[in-house]
Every structure is written in structure tokens, then in C-alpha cells.
Amino acid sequence: MQARRWGCLVLVIAVVAGGVTWLVLVLRKPPAPACSAGQYSLTPDQAQNAATIAAVGMRLGMPDHAVTVALATVLQESKLRNLTGGDRDSAGLFQQRPSQGWGSYEQVTDPVYATTAFYQRLRQQPNWTQLSVTQAAQLVQRSGAPDAYAQWEPEARVLAGALTGQTPATLACHDLVLGTATAPALIAAANAELGTAAFTGRHDPAPGWALATWLVANATRFAVDRVTFDGQTWIAAEGKWSPTAPPDGMLTRHQTTPPT
């Protein structure tokens, strides 16, 4: 008997009494890694980029409305992907153009820089807090399709609520492939995006859930396989939030790779 494996197909050739019997066993492909917030699905990369946008907004003291505007903008411009190119010299999450004063190519393709630049320009717009999501986005982006941002407002609101901690235990990721990472890498990213790396310990509900959700969105990036906050635990192997302890406001995380 001979056996050979090609991808997800196992082919077994059995020689029986001078003849050949073909036995084919088709194995199911493993589920693709994914994240979800309410009814909306994202790839782990999209979730990570959304978490960066929300985190930078919180670090800069921007209101939740600004986070919704930024997320709706990026959903329209790049589908939450850090694109290497676009129309003319556009690039990055927001499709910002170096020729229009947004910064160098390296800067506009850096999610933290690009997001900071977007919020800074949004803050300069008169009465932007009183405008609709699509009106505020258009003031910054000056798109040829000014009404296009409106279609993304419902998803942007759900993501903003989850990532700013207003709607607890909303974003979860499943079937992740966790790599390896060091604690210093996680701390550096958290300080750059959130402005803090103080994860373990007691937190008020909304800030604590924002930190917990950021960790889940970055689980693949930093090999985080478990996050617990306020009586709820997300476990990478299970892919969901579940009640695990009395709510006490304590946030803990666990990395698959020991800190170095």
C-alpha cells in the first residue's frame, strides 16, 4: 500500500489481488482565521488596523464620533487594509497622497502616523463634531465621491463601540494562527497606539474593555492567547468571550511566548 498527501487530499492506492483499488479521503481545510464584531466580519489584519485607528483616537483624546468617522473613512478608502498604492500617489489605510502634503510614502503607509494625521486634520475642521459621519470625512478627504462614506457608517459605529470599550465583549477572533512575539514588542506597540501598556491590573469599565479588545484584535501579531476582564475571558482556542469570574475590573492577558 502506498500513500501520498497533496494539500488537503489524501490518496491511498491499495493493491488487491492483482488489481488496484483507489481509496480517496478528502480532508476538510481548516477554517480561515477571522474576527467579528456584531454582524460584521473582518480578517485579523483588518481587525488589527481598526484597533490601531481606535487606539490612536483615544490616545489623542478624540471623541467616539471621531473614531467612527475615521473607521468609515478607511472602510471606504481601503477596506481596512494598509495598501501599498492606489489612485495616483495614494497609499495606506486612508489613501493619503504625499503630493498633497500628507507626508512621505513611508509615513502614509505607517498606520499610526496616517491615523494621527487624519485626526489632526479632522480637528482643524470648523464644527466637525456637529456634522454627520460622511460630512466630516469629506471635509478631510475631499473625495470625488463625497457621499460614499455614509454606506460604512453602521459598521464603523459597531467597530468604534467595540474598540473604545463602549460595548463590552463585542469583538472576538477565532481560528487564529498565533506566531511568536516578545513582551517588549507588545509594550512598544501599545505605547505608540494606546499611549499605555498598563494592561494588568484594575481598570474602569470602558478603558478596560478598550485595552482588552485591543489585545484580542492584536492576538495574532503578539501571540496573545487569553484575555480576561470584568468577568469575561476570550480564549484564542475557543474564539469567543465567555463568563469566567465575578466582575472585578481586573484585566489580565497571557502570551504563548514567555516575555523576554
Side-chain angles (χ1 to χ4, degrees), residues 22-78:
W22 297 80
L23 304 175
V24 179
L25 173 64
V26 178
L27 303 181
R28 295 180 61 186
K29 291 183 178 179
C35 301
S36 63
Q39 69 191 82
Y40 301 103
S41 297
L42 306 91
T43 67
D45 282 348
Q46 288 174 311
Q48 177 185 317
N49 289 328
T52 296
I53 291 166
V56 172
M58 290 184 290
R59 174 172 58 80
L60 294 176
M62 301 297 286
D64 292 348
H65 180 54
V67 177
T68 301
V69 172
L71 288 169
T73 300
V74 173
L75 282 163
Q76 168 61 26
E77 298 292 354
S78 67

Side-chain angles (χ1 to χ4, degrees), residues 15 34 62 68 121 138 161 193 227 233:
V15 180
M62 301 297 286
T68 301
R121 287 208 183 182
Q138 176 61 8
E193 297 183 19
V227 179
T233 294

Side-chain angles (χ1 to χ4, degrees), residues 156-181:
R157 287 194 181 281
V158 170
L159 289 174
L163 293 164
T164 60
Q166 300 304 311
T167 52
T170 299
L171 185 138
C173 299
H174 57 84
D175 300 302
L176 301 180
V177 178
L178 303 180
T180 58

Side-chain angles (χ1 to χ4, degrees), residues 206-222:
W209 276 112
L211 294 173
T213 305
W214 185 89
L215 285 168
V216 172
N218 284 277
T220 299
R221 182 183 180 192
F222 296 119

Side-chain angles (χ1 to χ4, degrees), residues 183 186-187 197 199-200 215 224-228 251-255 259:
L186 186 152
I187 291 169
F199 292 109
T200 302
L215 285 168
V224 177
D225 66 1
R226 183 185 302 257
V227 179
T228 296
L251 173 63
T252 61
R253 63 178 173 83
H254 181 263
Q255 286 179 269

